[in-house]
């Protein structure tokens, strides 16, 4: 028993010696690598005892050997004897090893795009039915994908604010999700029963002319991943692909299903890029041109298509889809071919890299001015609440609009006095000259406007299907201009001119949904080379061009009379109008933006400024041109938002209610004090006309000014003084 106890104790002592030796070796090893925490005891002692210790030098001499990092990162102690990667203060902007190869390959892509622009290479056109070959399509968004949309809005808010004045409402966002999850036929007509599970999640903004690829897993990549153990050759893999497999084709087909004018695609975006090759190149550009790589927001980096940077980005796995989109489908973007330019924007949001291709760049790109953004909580229909930046109006826009509003108001008063210019009345047949009635039927406006009219005009005036006419006219044909010359219709980049409105004679109301005049489309198409407005009106647009004329003509056609009292402008998208509205809202932060929101008459600066906006001048023009029919109106303008980022404007222009003016007795305004003042003033004037004039004239006024003020002073008095002749007055 004693021997076994001695053996057991011997084992324990041996184990302790072994553990101690191991700990010693481990400690020495850690110190050699610079790990662990080392404390300068002398420094701690001095810190305790000295009330004002000497500052520590941060040079490489007399420096502590090790400095502890905050809790949680002490496994990488900052040590001046450690390798350089442990304390890199400034990341170097070294180009990727494949940079030259990417530039070369991107140049070839750019040549192919230019050849497609010139018509040297044929394009590809797929019918939508091709998606039935193995693909499932849905627009339903579950909670996980809605969270992705929320994150997309966070990342892209600055870019959308700068380009479009704000992120679009949920109703303007069209998600399309394509999944290759069914049996399919290959390009060689072989039938494959096992789907590739390729996926393309796209977010499309037709009203912003923007398509975005949010998530993309190609069929080729899925086949590569599936056969890693026994890799396929490229030819074998291509033989197993569905007839539609490239991202560019999927994006174009999805875009054509959600956009009424698919040829208007201007922007192609790639969100949250994860490909290592693309990220390495973008990181290099961020570090080289911005000095950091995790947060590079708008104004972002941009490179024109002929630059090496743009060529390299075009050749990356995330840029090639843009190249193939233009090569294969550029012929379906007819009006884009005139530009033959490209520009790429790249930015980073909290480490997430994004890319935006502009297919028709302006020079220079839009920038969001400093101080022109505010934060507001935005709620999606799903109930999610996030914060984003929205464009805020500036005082300059407000002042400029007020000047235009002052002019318009003066014209309104002149028209009421019978001083307006002659106005042409159009027959509804004028819409046969270059216009097409795309829609003409019975349909009430949205419930928002039904409630507005019911609130303002009364329950009995609420629009119904029976009383509401919905007309959408578009300018899309050749026409005869105002000079009688046949003119060819040319489509503009911003789309067709259109007047899309509800006419409700029973409610004395017009609700405007969308407007774009022919003159506006011509100016956008011609840009800086556009002629004068007079020449455009005479030669390049139909005689029935202005919104006010088209609206009044259709109002009369639908039975409207001279009792037009309300005009609503639904979903204001004009950036100038939005700027003025946001500035006014910012001056009244405590006011609820739901209807009635804020309202202003023409006796206020806000009312004049709203009248002077592009969306206000049309209503003013109707009151000017039709003054003889409509008479004097009390114009009051409401601005409100039925939903977040859904600005609307409402014109209440009911006839002026003339109040009888009270008649006062002639002697009621005279008192003993006023009679005494009159007597003193008369004596002063008769005694010295010169003294009386000094109240009006500084000492350096001329003789002619003295005579004028003498006359004004004499006429202003309630009596006619016996004054000397004007020729005798000297100052």
């Amino acid at each position: 028993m004693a021997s076994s106890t001695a053996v057991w104790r011997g084992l324990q002592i041996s184990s302790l010696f072994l553990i101690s030796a191991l700990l010693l070796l481990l400690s020495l090893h850690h110190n050699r690598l610079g790990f662990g925490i080392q404390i300068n005891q002398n420094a701690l002692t001095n810190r305790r005892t000295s009330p004002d210790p000497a500052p520590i030098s941060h040079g490489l001499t007399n420096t502590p050997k090790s400095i502890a990092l905050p809790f949680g990162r002490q496994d990488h102690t900052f040590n001046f004897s450690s390798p350089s990667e442990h304390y890199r203060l400034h990341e170097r902007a070294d180009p990727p090893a494949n940079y030259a190869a990417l530039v070369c390959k991107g140049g070839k892509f750019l040549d192919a795009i230019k050849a497609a622009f010139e018509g040297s290479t044929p394009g590809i056109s797929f019918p939508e039915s091709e998606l039935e070959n193995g693909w499932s399509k849905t627009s339903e968004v579950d909670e996980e994908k809605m969270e992705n949309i929320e994150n997309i809005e966070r990342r892209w808010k600055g870019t959308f604010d700068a380009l479009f004045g704000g992120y679009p409402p949920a109703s303007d966002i069209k998600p399309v999700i394509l999944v290759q999850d069914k049996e399919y036929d290959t390009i060689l007509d072989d039938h494959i029963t096992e789907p590739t599970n390729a996926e393309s999640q796209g977010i499309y903004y037709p009203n912003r002319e923007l398509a975005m690829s949010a998530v993309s897993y190609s069929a080729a990549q899925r086949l590569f991943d599936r056969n890693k153990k026994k890799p396929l050759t490229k030819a074998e893999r291509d033989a197993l692909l569905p007839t539609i497999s490239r991202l560019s084709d999927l994006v174009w087909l999805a875009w054509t299903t959600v956009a009424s004018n698919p040829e208007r695609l201007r922007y192609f975006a790639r969100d949250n890029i994860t490909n290592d090759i693309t990220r390495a190149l973008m990181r290099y550009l961020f570090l080289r041109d911005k000095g950091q790589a995790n947060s590079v927001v708008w104004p972002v980096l941009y490179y024109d298509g002929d630059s090496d940077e743009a060529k390299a980005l075009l050749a990356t796995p995330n840029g090639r889809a843009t190249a193939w989109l233009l090569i294969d489908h550029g012929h379906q973007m007819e009006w884009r071919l005139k530009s033959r330019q490209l520009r790429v924007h790249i930015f980073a949001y909290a480490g997430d890299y994004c890319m935006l291709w502009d297919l028709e760049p302006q020079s220079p790109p839009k920038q969001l001015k400093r101080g022109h953004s505010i934060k507001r909580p935005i709620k999606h229909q799903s109930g999610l609440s996030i914060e984003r930046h929205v464009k805020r109006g500036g005082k300059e826009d407000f002042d400029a609009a007020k000047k235009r509003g002052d002019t318009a108001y003066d014209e309104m008063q002149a028209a009421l006095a019978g001083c307006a210019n002659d106005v042409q009345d159009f027959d509804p047949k004028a819409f046969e000259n270059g216009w097409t009635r795309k829609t003409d039927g019975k349909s009430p406006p949205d419930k928002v406007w039904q409630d507005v009219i019911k609130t303002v005009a009364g329950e009995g005036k609420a629009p119904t299907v029976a009383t509401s006419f919905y007309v959408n006219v578009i300018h899309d044909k050749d026409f005869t201009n105002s000079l009688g010359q046949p003119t060819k219709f040319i489509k503009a980049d911003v789309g067709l001119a259109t007047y899309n409105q509800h006419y409700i004679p029973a409610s004395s109301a017009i609700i405007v949904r969308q407007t774009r005049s022919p003159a506006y489309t011509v100016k956008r198409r011609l840009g800086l080379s556009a002629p004068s407005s007079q020449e455009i009106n005479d030669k390049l647009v139909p005689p029935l061009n202005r919104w006010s004329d088209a609206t009044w003509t259709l109002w009369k056609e639908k039975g409207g009379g001279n009792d037009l009292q309300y005009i609503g402008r639904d979903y204001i998208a004009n950036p100038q109008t939005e700027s003025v509205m946001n500035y006014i809202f910012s001056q009244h932060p405590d006011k609820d933006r739901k209807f009635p929101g804020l309202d202003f008459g023409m006796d206020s600066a806000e009312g004049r400024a709203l009248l002077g906006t592009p969306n206000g001048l049309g209503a003013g023009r109707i009151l000017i041109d039709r003054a003889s029919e409509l008479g004097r109106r009390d114009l009051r303008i409401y601005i409100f938002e039925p939903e977040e980022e859904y600005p609307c404007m409402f014109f209440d222009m009911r006839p002026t209610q003339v109040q009888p003016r009270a008649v006062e007795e002639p002697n009621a305004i005279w008192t003993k004090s006023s009679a005494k003042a009159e007597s003193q003033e008369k004596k002063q004037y008769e005694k010295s006309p010169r003294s009386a004039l000094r109240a009006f004239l500084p000492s350096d006024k001329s003789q002619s000014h003295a005579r004028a003020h003498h006359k004004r002073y004499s006429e202003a008095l309630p009596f006619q003084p016996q004054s000397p002749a004007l020729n005798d007055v000297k100052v």
Side-chain angles (χ1 to χ4, degrees):
M1 186 69 175
S3 61
S4 62
T5 303
V7 171
W8 175 246
R9 287 181 179 175
L11 288 174
Q12 286 180 325
I13 294 171
S14 300
S15 299
L16 288 174
F17 275 115
L18 181 61
I19 292 172
S20 300
L22 288 173
L23 288 174
L24 179 61
L25 289 174
L26 185 61
S27 175
L28 292 173
H29 179 65
H30 279 194
N31 286 337
R32 183 173 63 84
L33 292 179
F35 293 164
I37 305 174
Q38 299 182 11
I39 301 175
N40 189 323
Q41 295 292 341
N42 293 331
L44 290 179
T45 304
N46 292 338
R47 187 172 182 180
R48 292 191 191 101
T49 58
S50 175
D52 188 16
I56 298 176
S57 171
H58 292 285
L60 293 180
T61 58
N62 295 328
T63 310
K65 192 174 182 180
S66 171
I67 302 173
L69 291 182
F71 176 76
R73 296 189 59 188
Q74 295 183 357
D75 55 335
H76 282 74
T77 304
F78 184 87
N79 193 305
F80 286 98
S81 63
S82 301
S84 60
E85 60 266 20
H86 289 168
Y87 57 91
R88 180 176 295 168
L89 300 180
H90 300 286
E91 296 186 76
R92 296 179 59 183
D94 296 324
N98 62 343
Y99 183 71
L102 289 174
V103 173
C104 178
K105 189 172 183 178
K108 294 179 180 179
F109 269 123
L110 198 60
D111 291 340
I113 292 171
K114 291 179 179 179
F117 283 170
E118 295 167 358
S120 304
T121 56
I124 298 175
S125 296
F126 289 107
E128 187 182 348
S129 58
E130 283 289 339
L131 289 176
E132 298 174 3
N133 182 24
W135 292 88
S136 296
K137 174 188 170 186
T138 180
S139 297
E140 298 296 327
V141 179
D142 56 25
E143 291 185 4
E144 181 181 355
K145 292 184 175 64
M146 177 56 73
E147 184 178 355
N148 290 339
I149 293 178
E150 175 187 354
N151 292 331
I152 288 172
E153 184 170 348
R154 287 197 181 103
R155 283 189 287 268
W156 287 84
K157 62 183 178 182
T159 302
F160 272 78
D161 288 346
L163 292 176
F164 313 115
Y167 200 79
S171 59
D172 285 354
I173 302 173
K174 310 294 183 183
V176 177
I177 301 166
L178 300 170
V179 182
Q180 208 283 302
D181 57 354
K182 297 183 291 188
E183 298 180 5
Y184 64 95
D185 294 328
T186 69
I187 55 179
L188 300 179
D189 291 332
D190 294 328
H191 187 74
I192 307 296
T193 58
E194 184 180 5
T196 64
N197 293 318
E199 184 174 0
S200 171
Q201 295 181 19
I203 310 296
Y204 300 91
Y205 309 82
N207 292 337
R208 304 296 188 271
E209 304 174 2
L210 189 150
M212 179 184 294
S213 174
V215 176
S216 175
Y217 300 103
S218 68
Q221 183 65 41
R222 292 297 200 194
L223 290 173
F224 176 82
D225 294 340
R226 183 187 299 171
N227 296 277
K228 280 185 176 180
K229 293 183 178 179
K230 188 179 180 181
L232 301 173
T233 66
K234 184 177 185 303
E236 291 173 334
R237 191 168 67 246
D238 290 347
L240 295 175
L241 293 176
T243 52
I244 293 183
S245 62
R246 284 198 304 207
L247 176 63
S248 56
D249 299 330
L250 295 171
V251 167
W252 180 254
L253 279 176
W255 173 254
T256 58
T257 64
V258 299
S260 56
N261 296 299
E263 70 278 5
R264 289 171 52 185
L265 178 63
R266 172 171 175 176
Y267 301 100
F268 181 47
R270 300 301 303 268
D271 177 64
N272 195 15
I273 293 170
T274 58
N275 182 274
D276 292 339
I277 296 174
T278 310
R279 285 184 64 91
L281 175 59
M282 295 175 69
R283 183 179 182 81
Y284 159 64
L285 295 175
F286 287 144
L287 291 172
R288 187 194 72 179
D289 296 340
K290 286 292 187 180
Q292 54 101 10
N294 288 325
S295 181
V296 182
V297 294
W298 199 278
V300 296
L301 289 176
Y302 71 92
Y303 307 97
D304 287 326
D306 290 331
S307 66
D308 286 350
E309 294 87 350
K311 292 176 184 177
L313 288 166
L314 191 64
T316 61
N318 295 87
R320 295 170 199 161
T322 305
W324 287 115
L325 183 67
L326 294 172
I327 294 169
D328 291 342
H329 304 286
H331 67 287
Q332 295 168 280
M333 307 178 209
E334 297 174 358
W335 58 273
R336 293 295 179 208
L337 305 186
K338 299 181 179 63
S339 170
R340 304 186 184 182
Q341 298 292 328
L342 276 178
R343 176 176 288 153
V344 58
H345 302 257
I346 58 174
F347 67 93
Y349 177 87
D352 296 336
Y353 288 5
C354 301
M355 182 185 297
L356 176 70
W357 290 91
D358 187 347
L359 311 185
E360 192 202 23
Q362 305 293 321
S363 183
K366 291 183 178 180
Q367 304 289 347
L368 186 64
K369 294 181 180 179
R370 187 183 300 275
H372 272 228
S373 64
I374 56 176
K375 277 189 175 181
R376 287 227 302 269
I378 307 302
K379 270 200 172 183
H380 284 284
Q381 293 179 349
S382 64
L384 293 173
S385 180
I386 65 174
E387 279 193 347
R388 68 173 178 78
H389 286 272
V390 297
K391 186 177 179 183
R392 192 181 83 184
K395 186 66 163 58
E396 299 85 357
D397 295 332
F398 178 87
D399 292 339
K402 183 180 180 301
K403 288 182 180 179
R404 294 191 298 268
D406 289 339
T407 302
Y409 186 74
D410 290 342
E411 287 189 52
M412 289 165 55
Q413 303 311 306
L416 290 170
C419 301
N421 297 325
D422 293 335
V423 178
Q424 180 180 358
D425 287 321
F426 290 92
D427 188 273
K429 291 184 179 179
F431 284 105
E432 299 174 4
N433 183 19
W435 294 87
T436 297
R437 296 201 183 210
K438 189 174 181 181
T439 307
D440 190 347
K442 293 289 190 74
S443 176
D446 294 340
K447 187 176 183 304
V448 169
W449 290 105
Q450 296 180 35
D451 294 341
V452 168
I453 296 175
K454 187 191 307 182
T455 301
V456 175
E459 187 75 30
K461 290 277 190 175
T464 63
V465 175
T467 61
S468 304
F469 298 89
Y470 173 49
V471 182
N472 182 18
V473 292
I474 57 174
H475 173 44
D476 60 348
K477 297 184 297 188
D478 296 346
F479 57 94
T480 301
N481 65 23
S482 297
L483 302 179
Q485 302 166 340
T487 307
K488 185 174 180 59
F489 167 75
I490 301 177
K491 192 171 184 180
D493 59 349
V494 292
L496 299 172
T498 180
Y499 295 130
N500 183 346
Q501 306 178 143
H502 294 271
Y503 302 86
I504 318 157
S507 304
S508 304
I510 296 172
I511 304 301
V512 183
R513 295 183 61 177
Q514 184 182 21
T515 65
R516 191 184 299 117
S517 72
Y520 171 77
T521 62
V522 169
K523 290 178 182 177
R524 281 293 302 267
R525 175 169 57 86
L526 298 180
L528 296 176
S529 61
S532 65
S533 296
Q534 186 61 49
E535 187 173 350
I536 290 176
N537 293 334
D538 288 343
K539 299 179 180 180
L540 303 180
V541 297
L544 184 54
N545 163 54
R546 294 192 308 181
W547 173 83
S548 56
D549 293 332
T551 298
W552 185 257
T553 301
L554 290 171
W555 169 255
K556 287 291 190 178
E557 180 193 77
K558 297 307 178 184
N562 298 335
D563 60 341
L564 176 61
Q565 298 181 15
Y566 312 106
I567 296 178
R569 300 297 301 247
D570 184 52
Y571 188 58
I572 303 293
N574 183 282
Q576 296 180 42
T577 307
E578 278 191 292
S579 179
V580 174
M581 292 175 67
N582 285 328
Y583 175 77
I584 294 174
F585 278 133
S586 71
Q587 303 303 304
H588 304 272
D590 298 332
K591 292 288 187 179
D592 186 3
R593 298 195 180 193
K594 300 289 186 181
F595 187 82
L598 299 173
D599 63 287
F600 305 96
M602 291 300 101
D603 57 347
S604 66
E606 293 89 346
R608 298 287 185 92
L610 291 169
L611 178 64
T613 61
N615 294 85
L617 289 171
R621 178 52 56 185
I622 286 182
L623 292 176
I624 293 168
D625 291 347
R626 310 297 165 182
S628 61
E629 298 159 277
L630 296 174
R632 187 175 295 276
R633 299 299 181 101
D634 275 335
L635 178 59
R636 195 159 196 86
I637 303 178
Y638 295 76
I639 56 173
F640 63 100
E641 290 183 351
E643 298 177 10
E644 291 289 351
E645 295 311 302
Y646 196 117
C648 297
M649 190 179 288
F650 182 70
F651 299 85
D652 183 348
M653 44 191 211
R654 284 175 279 188
T656 302
Q657 301 296 324
V658 180
Q659 299 293 335
R661 184 173 296 175
V663 179
E664 297 175 331
E665 294 295 331
N667 295 331
I669 61 173
W670 294 101
T671 63
K672 290 183 179 180
S673 59
S674 61
K676 183 177 180 180
E678 172 192 338
S679 176
Q680 291 177 349
E681 197 170 32
K682 180 177 179 180
K683 290 178 180 178
Q684 175 67 21
Y685 187 89
E686 291 178 340
K687 179 179 178 182
S688 174
R690 177 172 179 162
S691 301
L693 287 174
R694 282 178 178 161
F696 298 90
L697 292 174
S699 58
D700 60 347
K701 288 293 182 180
S702 65
Q703 178 77 13
S704 60
H705 285 158
R707 291 174 181 170
H709 282 279
H710 176 277
K711 182 179 180 182
R712 183 185 306 169
Y713 179 74
S714 301
E715 293 174 347
L717 291 174
F719 59 88
Q720 292 301 316
Q722 301 297 321
S723 59
L726 268 177
N727 292 333
D728 297 332
V729 178
K730 295 182 181 180
V731 293

